[in-house]
Amino acid sequence: MAKQNVAEQFVDILVRAGVERLYGVVGDSLNPVVDAVRRNAAIDWVHVRHEESAAFAAGAEAQITGKLTACAGSCGPGNLHLINGLYDAHRSMAPVLALASQIPSSEIGLGYFQETHPDRLFQECSHYSELISSPKQMPRLLQTAIQHAVGRSGVSVVSLPGDIAAEPAPEKAAETALVTSRPTVRPGDAEIDELVRLIDAADKVTLFCGSGTAGAHAEVMEFAERIKSPIGHALRGKEWIQYDNKFDVGMSGLLGYGAAYEATHECDLLILLGTDFPYNAFLPDDVKIAQVDVRPEHLGRRSKLDLAVWGDVRETLRCLIPRVREKTNRRFLDKMLKKHADALEGVVKAYTRKVEKHVPIHPEYVASVLDELADEDTVFTVDTGMCNVWAARYITPNGRRRVIGSFSHGSMANALPMAIGAQFTDRDRQVVAMSGDGGFAMLMGDFLTLVQYDLPVKVVLFNNSSLGMVELEMLVAGLPSYGTTNKNPDFAAVARACGAHGVRVEKPKDLAGALKSAFRHKGPALVDIVTDPNALSIPPKISAEMVTGFALSASKIVLDGGVGRMVQMARSNLRNVPRP
C-alpha cells in the first residue's frame, strides 16, 4: 500500500469530521489536495467559478445541516477571495473549515509571486487561523482547527503550503477523536434564582427572540403562556419563533413591523433570548433587561443588563418554566396583540393598491405570490438589500421552511452562492434564491455552477435595474440617488444561453404561471421579474426626521408596506382577547 502524503491525510481527517464537500477553485498550490479529493470516494470537490461563492456555499450548507463544512482557495488571490463569505459564515455562527493554500514554504517572507499571509489575514473572521509548517504538525493542527469551528460555531482557517501538502505524511499518525457536535449549556443555579425573582416581580414581561431560539420553539411558547408575555423577534429569529405563535407581536429593527417596538418599551422586564440584535437604538433604556445567550461575549454588548445569563435558551427555559409563578393577568399581552393587529392593518398602502394590475410589477406582489406557491419546506436564500424587506414581510415561516441570508454581515450577492450550498444538502428539496439584480450580477458567474452540477435551484430575480436599498439610504440621508442605476440584460435570455430554464415577466398576470413553470422544471431555472424601482424608495411623504437616518419614525414611514399573511395571523391571535 502506497504511503499517504500530507494532502491525503488532510482529506481523510475532513472525512472523519463529517465533511462531504470541499467548495473551491483549483490552483497550483491546491493541486495535491484536489487530487487527494479526486481519489477519495467519501468527499466531493465542488468547482465554483469564484472563491467568494465557495465560502458562501459552505456557510449556507453549515447553517442548513448544523455540521462542519469546508471550502478552499489557492495561494494569494485565490484564498483572498474567500474572505467575504468567511466573514459572513463567522458572523452567522456557521462551522466552516477554510483551507488557504500557501506559496512554497521556503519562499514565505521573501516577496514571492502571489505571496500573502493568510494565517494573519483571516484572524478577524475566524476563531482559529494557523500555518502548517511541517508534516508532523498537520494532524494535530487540523484537529484543533476543526474543534474551534465546531465548538465555538464559526470559522477556522488552515494555511497549507503546496510543497508540504505533497510531502509524505508521518507514519503512525494518531487518529485522535474529533469533536463534531456542541454540548448544551445550563446556567448556574444563582442566575436561575435571580431570573425567577425578576420575572415574578414584574407585572409586564416581554420576550424578544433571535436565532438562539432555534430548537426551543415549544419551550418559548410554554414560557410565554405561563408568564403571559408578548413575543417579538429579530430578523434572524423570524424562522424559528414566528410560526404557530399566538403571542407574536412582530419584528423590531430597521425592517420592523407590528407592535414589537411598543412591547419592548412598555414592559417592566424585557428578556432577550438568544439574540445579538445589533440596533441598540431600538432597545429600551428605561426598563429592566435580562439576557440569555450561549455565547457569553454577547451578553450586555447591546444594552445595559440587570441580569446576564450564560446558557442555551432551551435549557434555561426548561429550568425556568416549573419555577416561575404563573401569571393570570393578560391585560398587557392582550393590549400588545391588539396593537400588533391594528398596526399591520394600518400600515402605509401607497405601494400595495391594485398590485395585480400595476406595471412595473410591485415587488411586494412578487413576494406574496412566491410565498403562496413555494413548498412547505422550501429553503429561501435572500440577497441583502430590498430582498431582505420582502423576505421579512412576506415569507411565512412554518417550522419547516428556512430563510437564510447575510443578515449579520450584510453582504451583497449572497443569495445565489448560498443556494448552491443549500441545494447540495438535498437535491429533492426546493431551494429558491431571492436575488436582486445588483447582487445577482455581482456573482452571476456562479449561475454556471448550477448548470454544471444540474442543481435545481430556482432564482427569483427582483429586477428593478437599481441598487434599491442604497437609493433608500440616500433618501433618508437627504441625498439624491447617484450611481445606483444598473443597465441590465435580459437575464432570462442569459439563463437560457447558459443552458438553464429562463423566463422574463413584465406583467403581473404572467407572474404565477412563470413561477409555476420554473418550479416544475427539473433543473436550474431563473425567473427575471421586472419590478417597480420606486417601490419603497419614494414614500408618500418625506418627514423632517428622515434626513437623520434610520430613526424609528423614519423606518416606519419608509418601510411599512404590507406584511402578507401576517395580518391574518395577527387577527387570529385576537380571538380570545376580550372586546371592549
Side-chain angles (χ1 to χ4, degrees), residues 103-311:
I103 63 172
S105 57
S106 61
E107 302 297 331
I108 295 174
L110 299 174
Y112 191 75
F113 176 65
Q114 292 189 326
E115 180 175 7
T116 61
H117 294 87
D119 52 314
R120 304 177 201 169
L121 285 165
F122 292 103
Q123 284 182 352
E124 190 174 313
C125 63
S126 68
H127 291 304
Y128 184 85
S129 181
E130 291 291 348
L131 171 70
I132 294 173
S133 54
S134 80
K136 290 182 179 179
Q137 180 192 14
M138 193 282 290
R140 286 184 299 152
L141 192 147
L142 181 55
Q143 176 192 359
T144 302
I146 289 170
Q147 292 179 175
H148 272 79
V150 174
R152 299 183 66 184
S153 293
V155 170
S156 284
V157 181
V158 173
S159 302
L160 178 62
D163 60 314
I164 292 179
E167 287 187 20
E171 293 185 13
K172 298 181 180 179
E175 289 195 3
T176 55
L178 294 170
V179 171
T180 56
S181 61
R182 288 171 54 87
T184 57
V185 179
R186 181 198 182 280
D189 290 335
E191 288 75 21
I192 292 294
D193 290 343
E194 180 61 15
L195 188 50
V196 169
R197 188 191 67 78
L198 286 173
I199 294 168
D200 286 348
D203 291 327
K204 300 178 292 185
V205 182
T206 293
L207 305 180
F208 187 71
C209 300
S211 60
T213 57
H217 184 276
E219 287 79 5
V220 174
M221 297 305 124
E222 184 179 357
F223 185 52
E225 177 67 58
R226 189 165 184 82
I227 65 173
K228 306 301 182 286
S229 169
I231 300 175
H233 60 267
L235 178 56
R236 290 190 65 201
K238 174 184 171 75
E239 62 176 332
W240 304 114
I241 214 69
Q242 190 189 33
Y243 69 95
D244 295 339
N245 182 354
K246 61 183 180 180
F247 309 99
D248 178 46
V249 293
M251 188 170 79
S252 192
L254 302 183
L255 309 184
Y257 54 81
Y261 181 88
E262 288 82 357
T264 57
H265 283 70
E266 296 180 22
C267 59
D268 301 324
L269 174 64
L270 173 63
I271 304 178
L272 306 175
L273 294 177
T275 179
D276 192 35
F277 181 70
Y279 305 111
N280 55 9
F282 288 84
L283 293 173
D285 55 12
D286 57 351
V287 304
K288 289 186 176 181
I289 301 178
Q291 183 178 1
V292 179
D293 206 290
V294 74
R295 297 182 74 160
E297 65 269 26
H298 288 179
L299 294 169
R301 71 177 183 178
R302 307 300 184 197
S303 58
K304 184 176 181 296
L305 299 182
D306 293 271
L307 180 64
V309 180
W310 180 11

Side-chain angles (χ1 to χ4, degrees), residues 41-101:
I43 190 170
D44 293 320
W45 178 264
V46 178
H47 168 46
V48 297
R49 302 308 173 98
H50 195 294
E51 290 92 349
E52 183 178 354
S53 295
F56 273 127
E61 180 182 331
Q63 290 183 68
I64 295 298
T65 65
K67 298 178 181 178
L68 181 73
T69 61
C71 58
S74 58
C75 64
N79 62 57
L80 275 177
H81 284 157
L82 294 170
I83 196 163
N84 194 46
L86 291 183
Y87 258 100
D88 182 81
H90 193 56
R91 299 189 69 184
S92 300
M93 298 176 64
V96 174
L97 187 286
L99 170 59
S101 68

Side-chain angles (χ1 to χ4, degrees), residues 506-549:
E506 297 180 354
K507 297 180 180 179
K509 65 182 180 67
D510 300 326
L511 176 62
L515 290 173
K516 289 177 182 178
S517 69
F519 290 163
R520 285 194 301 266
H521 184 70
K522 298 299 183 183
L526 182 145
V527 183
D528 180 10
I529 306 166
V530 181
T531 59
D532 187 352
N534 293 320
L536 293 182
S537 291
I538 304 175
K541 187 181 294 183
I542 299 176
S543 68
E545 291 100 333
M546 290 179 66
V547 299
T548 65

Side-chain angles (χ1 to χ4, degrees), residues 211-461:
S211 60
T213 57
H217 184 276
E219 287 79 5
V220 174
M221 297 305 124
E222 184 179 357
F223 185 52
E225 177 67 58
R226 189 165 184 82
I227 65 173
K228 306 301 182 286
S229 169
I231 300 175
H233 60 267
L235 178 56
R236 290 190 65 201
K238 174 184 171 75
E239 62 176 332
W240 304 114
I241 214 69
Q242 190 189 33
Y243 69 95
D244 295 339
N245 182 354
K246 61 183 180 180
F247 309 99
D248 178 46
V249 293
M251 188 170 79
S252 192
L254 302 183
L255 309 184
Y257 54 81
Y261 181 88
E262 288 82 357
T264 57
H265 283 70
E266 296 180 22
C267 59
D268 301 324
L269 174 64
L270 173 63
I271 304 178
L272 306 175
L273 294 177
T275 179
D276 192 35
F277 181 70
Y279 305 111
N280 55 9
F282 288 84
L283 293 173
D285 55 12
D286 57 351
V287 304
K288 289 186 176 181
I289 301 178
Q291 183 178 1
V292 179
D293 206 290
V294 74
R295 297 182 74 160
E297 65 269 26
H298 288 179
L299 294 169
R301 71 177 183 178
R302 307 300 184 197
S303 58
K304 184 176 181 296
L305 299 182
D306 293 271
L307 180 64
V309 180
W310 180 11
D312 297 320
V313 170
R314 184 168 63 176
E315 292 302 314
T316 302
L317 294 183
R318 285 176 174 177
C319 294
L320 281 175
I321 290 168
R323 296 184 57 182
V324 296
R325 186 170 61 247
E326 183 169 7
K327 298 184 187 298
T328 57
N329 188 336
R330 287 183 53 104
R331 282 197 298 270
F332 177 63
L333 171 60
D334 292 341
K335 176 184 175 183
M336 290 301 115
L337 290 174
K338 187 172 188 311
K339 277 193 174 185
H340 179 58
D342 290 345
L344 296 190
E345 290 185 343
V347 294
V348 177
K349 300 295 184 182
Y351 303 116
T352 56
R353 296 191 188 101
K354 300 179 181 178
V355 290
E356 295 86 352
K357 298 180 180 180
H358 184 88
V359 177
I361 303 170
H362 277 313
E364 300 94 327
Y365 179 62
V366 177
S368 64
V369 174
L370 174 61
D371 182 55
E372 292 290 338
L373 296 180
D375 290 347
E376 291 300 298
D377 65 345
T378 296
V379 177
F380 296 91
T381 61
V382 184
D383 259 345
T384 297
M386 298 311 296
C387 284
N388 271 193
V389 181
W390 317 138
R393 301 286 178 120
Y394 289 94
I395 300 304
T396 307
N398 58 12
R400 298 172 61 200
R401 286 178 167 180
R402 293 297 310 274
V403 182
I404 61 175
S406 188
F407 299 141
S408 295
H409 186 50
S411 174
M412 283 182 66
N414 61 286
L416 173 62
M418 282 183 166
I420 293 171
Q423 192 71 82
F424 265 115
T425 68
D426 185 350
R427 285 178 172 269
D428 295 325
R429 187 176 187 180
Q430 187 179 77
V431 176
V432 174
M434 294 176 65
S435 297
D437 58 288
F440 180 77
M442 185 177 283
L443 287 176
M444 186 167 59
D446 270 295
F447 189 79
L448 297 171
T449 303
L450 301 183
V451 177
Q452 181 158 333
Y453 290 94
D454 196 29
L455 292 173
V457 169
K458 313 308 177 190
V459 178
V460 178
L461 188 58

